[in-house]
Amino acid sequence: MASAGLNDTAASWAVSADSVTVYAHKHASSIATYLWSSMNGWTIAVTVLAMLVAYDQIMYQWNKGNLPGPTFKIPFIGPFLESVNPKFELYEAKWATGPLSCVSVFHKFVVIASTRDMTRKIFTSSQYVSPCLVDVAKKLLRPTNFVFLTGKAHVDYRKGLNTLFTRRALEVYLTGQEDMYDTYFEKFVQVSQEEQGGKPIPFMPWFREINCAISCRTFVGHYLSDEGVKKIADDYYHITSALELVNFPIIIPYTRTWYGKRAADMVLESFAACAAKSKVRMAAGGEITCSMDAWIKNMFESERYREAIAAGREVPEEEKPSHVLPRMFSDFEIAQTIFTFLFASQDATSSATTWLFQILAHRPAMLDRVREENLRIRGGDRNRRLDMDMLESLTYTRAVVKEALRYRPPVTMVPYEAKKPFPISDTYTVPKGSMVIPTIHTALQDPEFYPEPNEYNPERWISGDAEKATKNWLVFGAGPHYCIGQTYATNNLIALIGKASMFLDWTHYPTPLSEDIKVFATIFPQNGNASIGPEQKQARSKFMDAWDGLPLWARLITPPPPTMARVPTFDALIHDRVHPTPTMIKTIADTPSTEKILIDVREPSEYQAGFIPSAINIPIASQPDALFLPEEEFEDRFGFQKPPPSKEVVFYCKAGVRSSAAAVMAKQSGYEKVGEYRGSWLDWEKQGGVSR
């Protein structure tokens, strides 16, 4: 009976199931219609969004594998908002998590390498990776730009470009570089002393402009007008902004990438016009004055050589080009390449220049050594033009520049893209299409190779072992895509700071943030563009107001109140003066000249106790108006003729404070050639100098 009952139940279930199946088949379309109609637009949108979020998270976790990184990704955008104003401390924290770490921004998965060996592996693995810079880079520099080529095409291209940075070529460029130094040093002094009345101003924008001008003159010569150079310098900020590590992935009107694309198009158009002019001039046998000329001349020589070989003519070895180019390049192809040179040099060199001026402003002994070395290799004549032999003999200046590049490397990271799965370590493979970023900064801060890496110490390049750490010296990259202009870039910084040391003096106004790092494509001082704001003016005391009310000459010799001395302006005050060395002072003392007048600005009692031979006495503290007096009144007061403004005057005092004030006052009163013996009387005695 039980068995029969079970069978009956089973039969009933079978009939019921069949009935449901038949019903479902008959009414399937009705059911689907019902389900669809019960879902409104919001339900569909939320469902699709949830699926996309889930997919985004799954792909992030899949790509992340065992790498350190955020546990979950902020849907779609990742840490994009952090990257809008990147903090250097966040980069350091990321590097500290291990040899490899990761993030995901928008659609791009990013692997970050933080050790020297991982970084070198990326640089040298061209079979797996290629430079990508950032997503928008190909839109600005153009996809056909040689920097994006790989393999034989890239190697052949670079061979032709390497000839533009030989020792001979670099010497040709020196003339144009020095012309730009002269032009902009005059502008620096004019802006700081005349237009701003000696008040501190931000100089980082000026350093960007001078480096843009130097690059343009080096790469395209005078085919580009001064107005054209200024236009590129002014607009280049937009290109830098568009090429930051993280930006919106598509170009939308009035965004940073949109402005950057417009500026890049303008540069390419300008450089293409320059290329057309250079072709005409080189075809007519003109002399090489810039990189563009050298490259185009090589194109014409290569074309004649290829034609001769094709015609069966024998070409003497001495007439064969050093590198035979495969073809003539179009004006636009030339423009793309020269634009790449500008891109590679502009921000990095501007960063290095800013740090160099700041570093040396607070290390006067180092600046004095730079000045003395640059004067010595010119035989004491600061106006003597530089050549390669002199440049290569600047041992200490070169060490100062190399240490600045190590201490504050302009480029901290260089983005690459994985062309195929990249087995970067034994336990992790970078997915195809991911961005992989080698980190330069950590290799240059490695205490194993650079003891006390947070200390700025040029001596490590002279008497230390820094030169031996070649695997850590990644300032200019490594592997097939290393920077071909690295010698030019280093030499330019050496020449620039060397000449500045002889013709300029600058005062840096530090703040607690002066050594902190701001990331803007490259790295700059955190508050490099700051100036005094209303909140700082409101904090002024009655003593500061009283100091402001003093005449100019009195302010120059009266120290400001302590609160004023600490006003955070991070600006620079540029002066046009030279600082003679003790050797130069001895020459003036031993062989008096009417062209160089040595002036002791101490009080008469100090002067009478002993002075440097041939020096005259003009006590600047008790007679602060002396240099402003008419000639007759000056002679009546002091009993000797006033030094003519056309002569070179060199001031000294006891320790260099009063002489510095006197040098500024001399410039204010019309003297053009002004020198200041910084060590003054104390240094003269220390050096064993005789006295009268």
Side-chain angles (χ1 to χ4, degrees), residues 86-89 92 355 407-409 412 441 513-520 522-527:
K87 305 293 184 184
F88 190 75
E89 296 79 9
E92 290 183 306
W355 284 112
Y407 179 66
R408 290 290 184 263
T412 57
H441 191 274
L513 297 177
S514 292
E515 289 296 318
D516 289 355
I517 294 172
K518 174 182 176 61
V519 181
F520 181 63
T522 52
I523 63 172
F524 290 91
Q526 181 67 256
N527 53 349

Side-chain angles (χ1 to χ4, degrees), residues 466-511:
E467 290 287 1
K468 298 178 183 178
T470 53
K471 288 188 176 181
N472 284 65
W473 184 247
L474 297 173
V475 172
F476 298 100
H481 287 272
Y482 76 94
C483 176
I484 60 177
Q486 58 181 294
T487 303
Y488 158 74
T490 305
N491 285 353
N492 175 46
L493 289 169
I494 293 169
L496 188 152
I497 200 65
K499 190 155 194 173
S501 73
M502 298 184 297
F503 283 84
L504 301 176
D505 187 22
W506 55 94
T507 304
H508 172 233
Y509 291 74
T511 80

Side-chain angles (χ1 to χ4, degrees), residues 638-668:
F638 293 100
F640 55 85
Q641 192 176 35
K642 181 181 179 181
S646 59
K647 306 299 183 181
E648 182 173 349
V649 290
V650 179
F651 298 98
Y652 78 91
C653 59
K654 180 180 179 180
V657 177
R658 286 171 287 181
S659 62
S660 180
V664 175
M665 294 169 72
K667 293 293 294 184
Q668 294 283 343

Side-chain angles (χ1 to χ4, degrees), residues 651-656 659 677-685:
F651 298 98
Y652 78 91
C653 59
K654 180 180 179 180
S659 62
Y677 180 19
R678 273 188 167 175
S680 287
W681 179 254
L682 293 179
D683 184 65
W684 179 258
E685 285 190 314

